[in-house]
Structure formats: structure tokens, C-alpha cells
Amino acid sequence: MLKDELKESQPLFYHIIFNEFQQHKIPHAFLLNGKNTEKPLEFLTMSLLCDQTIACETCISCQKVQHHQFADIIEIDGLDESIKKNHIEYIQSTFKKSAIEGKNKIYIIRHIENATKEAMNSLLKILEEPIDGIYAIFTTQNMNKVLPTIISRCQVIDIRPNRAADLKQRLMQQDIDEENSNILTALWNDIDTILEVDMDNFTDIKVEVLNFIDDLFSNRENLIINTQIHLMKNHNNKEDIKLFLNMLIIALKDLFHVKHNQKALFVNHVEKFQSFQYDNDDIIRKTELILDTLNLIDYNANIPLLMDSMMYRL
């Protein structure tokens, strides 16, 4: 159950929530700080609506939350669009009406750091005059961008990132080999996201990364043509190229690790990496070039041209 998972992976979060709910001292607003907030957010939402002390995960209310079917919940995500004053006004106008489900009303704002100043000021007015039965849950990955006056009116809970070792173990229990488990946990820190990855596509891109590394250090004259014929022909969409570049950065870091007798993530290719000739400064320079390309990719419609430019510079 989610409760058992959070007791182990998020002990601080679970301890705070359990104590507050058990003592009936529930704050009107929570701020979850970190990159791994979805499961704590779901559990907290269920707990605010469940008839038990904390979420039982089996009652109708908990089930409705899990399936995004609870009528008296408003969800806004600052990643979808900047949170504006009209979003806060919508919350206010909607919650003036009677509860449809007959229980608490909850508004959830993910990535609250992406709210405009006007939206935060409007939100502050709500928080300054809390109404019984209405609760707020906010998430952020950047506390520095949240108004201190909002933070001061919330129960702030720091959410721990998933530990790579725990994720790796869980993936290997799913019959994913050690090398792929290493790379997957370096790319993503959430088990549910990883298990949704198209492994055939992932494996194809990993092969392209290994071929690219081989050409880069052993057959430079083939680098551009091989990349154009294989990678850019079969994986020319933005998300695949971003995955390729992120995996390529991991491989370059492994070259550095192998040279200094440190543990590599590409565990099946250590001997191959040891056969290449390179110096530390060269690896650092190449990694920086790839990072530059990765940062530009969302703002550049011509991905093939961007990739060609990167390869010439490499």
C-alpha cells in the first residue's frame, strides 16, 4: 500500500501527517518541497477526505482521489501554464458553493513557484483568512521563488528524492538487468515513470549512444554520417534526441569514472571504455558541449541542424 511505501521512503512526511491528523491539528495549507511530491500529494489528499485518521486507500473517497474523480478538488499545474490571478479567483468563486461530495474541499497547485506576483498576492489573502473545510496543497521545486509570506502560512514538508539504490533494486526485481537499471535510475527518480518507459525504444537509443561513443573515439570520420543514417533517421523526434543526449552524458561520465577506477553505470561496457584514449579536459569539454545542445533543443525547431553543429564541435 502507498502508506507502507511512504512510511519507508518518506518517514519525515509520514510522521508529520500522522501526528497532525491523529491530534486533529490539521493545517489549512501544506507546501510539499521537492521533486518527488506526487505520491505524498496523493496520500495527503486522500487523508483529508478519508473517514479514517489517515488515508485507508480503500474507501470510496480514497478511490475517487486515486482515479481523479472527486468532485470537490481543483487542480492547477504551473508546468502547464503560468499560474495567474484568474486561476485563484476561479478557486474562490467555485468554493463559495456547497460541497458536492459533502466533505472537505481541496485545491492543489503544483509548481507554485510558477505563479505570477498578482496570483501569489491573491492566494495570500485566502491563506490569511482560512475557511473551515477548505484545504490547500502546494508543491514546489524552488522555494526561493515562493513568497515568504505564503511559506509562513503553510505546513512545509521537505520531500526526499527516491534513493537510486532502492530504485535500482526494485527495477532488478522486475527482471531489468543491472546496466539498464543503473541508466534508468540515473535518468529518472520515480519508479512509476521508469516502468512506463518503452524499453524497446530505450534499448535502441542506448545502442546508438554506444555506437556514437565508439565513433567519437575510434572512428571520427564515420561519426556524422552514421549518426545521420541511424539515429536521426529512426529517432528524430525531440524527446528521443533528449534521451539520447542525456544517456550520452552518462556514458561520457563513465569514461571519466573508468579512467579513475570508479564504478561505471554502463557495467557491461567497462572494458570497451577502457580501450579509448582521451584526457580529462577533453571529456569535460565534450560533456559541456552536449549539455549546451540539450539546453538549446527546446528552443530550436531544426534538430538535425543542431545535432550536426554539436558533432562538428565535438
Side-chain angles (χ1 to χ4, degrees):
M1 294 181 75
L2 182 56
K3 176 176 69 174
D4 297 324
E5 180 182 336
L6 290 172
K7 283 175 72 174
E8 181 178 348
S9 64
Q10 301 292 341
L12 175 64
F13 165 82
Y14 184 83
H15 177 76
I16 291 173
I17 296 303
F18 182 81
N19 285 346
E20 289 178 341
F21 280 66
Q22 186 180 50
Q23 296 170 19
H24 303 288
K25 295 180 179 179
I26 305 172
H28 283 90
F30 296 84
L31 176 57
L32 307 181
N33 176 42
K35 295 184 177 180
N36 188 30
T37 58
E38 277 306 303
K39 289 184 178 180
L41 170 61
E42 180 181 47
F43 185 77
L44 175 55
T45 305
M46 287 191 291
S47 296
L48 287 167
L49 298 168
C50 185
D51 291 330
Q52 303 299 316
T53 303
I54 56 172
C56 70
E57 303 182 53
T58 57
C59 69
I60 293 175
S61 294
C62 287
Q63 290 292 308
K64 283 185 175 182
V65 172
Q66 290 174 332
H67 295 96
H68 303 280
Q69 294 174 345
F70 199 91
D72 295 314
I73 295 177
I74 296 175
E75 298 188 55
I76 300 170
D77 194 333
L79 279 187
D80 294 336
E81 61 175 319
S82 176
I83 301 161
K84 298 180 176 63
K85 184 178 179 180
N86 66 289
H87 290 111
I88 310 305
E89 291 172 342
Y90 170 74
I91 292 171
Q92 289 178 297
S93 63
T94 302
F95 281 174
K96 284 180 180 178
K97 305 168 187 175
S98 298
I100 296 173
E101 301 277 356
K103 293 190 176 183
N104 294 325
K105 302 175 184 179
I106 300 171
Y107 59 101
I108 297 167
I109 303 181
R110 294 176 174 84
H111 304 281
I112 192 176
E113 67 270 25
N114 294 330
T116 65
K117 184 178 179 180
E118 292 76 17
M120 286 203 188
N121 286 331
S122 294
L123 185 59
L124 183 58
K125 292 178 182 178
I126 301 176
L127 296 175
E128 287 174 338
E129 299 177 1
I131 299 172
D132 286 343
I134 297 180
Y135 295 90
I137 307 175
F138 311 127
T139 75
T140 183
Q141 294 183 17
N142 190 343
M143 288 277 282
N144 294 327
K145 290 187 175 181
V146 183
L147 283 179
T149 44
I150 287 180
I151 295 173
S152 68
R153 286 166 174 78
C154 297
Q155 168 68 71
V156 179
I157 308 177
D158 291 323
I159 303 300
R160 296 195 328 186
N162 277 325
R163 290 183 296 174
D166 293 341
L167 277 177
K168 176 182 173 180
Q169 183 178 12
R170 293 179 67 182
L171 291 177
M172 293 182 72
Q173 290 172 350
Q174 300 280 336
D175 294 326
I176 298 175
D177 70 25
E178 183 180 8
E179 179 168 284
N180 284 341
S181 295
N182 286 339
I183 298 167
L184 287 164
T185 53
L187 292 167
W188 296 283
N189 66 1
D190 178 75
I191 187 69
D192 293 330
T193 302
I194 292 173
L195 293 178
E196 290 176 359
V197 171
D198 181 339
M199 287 304 295
D200 289 336
N201 188 60
F202 173 86
T203 302
D204 286 347
I205 292 176
K206 189 177 83 167
V207 169
E208 296 298 340
V209 168
L210 292 166
N211 289 340
F212 189 96
I213 290 287
D214 195 28
D215 286 340
L216 185 61
F217 291 98
S218 302
N219 305 289
R220 286 190 62 88
E221 66 278 5
N222 297 330
L223 179 65
I224 294 177
I225 188 67
N226 281 343
T227 302
Q228 290 173 337
I229 291 173
H230 300 291
L231 175 70
M232 300 308 299
K233 181 179 179 181
N234 300 318
H235 301 281
N236 58 4
N237 67 78
K238 185 181 295 185
E239 292 308 312
D240 278 359
I241 296 300
K242 287 167 72 173
L243 176 57
F244 170 82
L245 293 174
N246 277 307
M247 213 183 299
L248 183 56
I249 290 169
I250 292 171
L252 286 176
K253 288 180 178 178
D254 265 3
L255 289 172
F256 187 87
H257 293 154
V258 165
K259 187 172 184 178
H260 294 85
N261 298 315
Q262 296 173 358
K263 187 172 178 60
L265 299 184
F266 281 83
V267 291
N268 299 336
H269 296 85
V270 171
E271 289 186 11
K272 181 67 174 177
F273 287 0
Q274 288 172 334
S275 70
F276 298 136
Q277 298 297 316
Y278 51 88
D279 60 47
N280 293 342
D281 290 341
D282 184 43
I283 293 295
I284 293 170
R285 186 186 67 83
K286 286 177 167 53
T287 302
E288 289 175 346
L289 283 172
I290 296 165
L291 281 169
D292 287 343
T293 304
L294 190 57
N295 290 332
L296 289 170
I297 215 162
D298 283 326
Y299 306 99
N300 195 312
N302 196 330
I303 294 176
L305 185 61
L306 188 63
M307 290 293 289
D308 283 349
S309 174
M310 180 192 79
M311 287 184 286
Y312 278 116
R313 294 164 70 198
L314 287 173

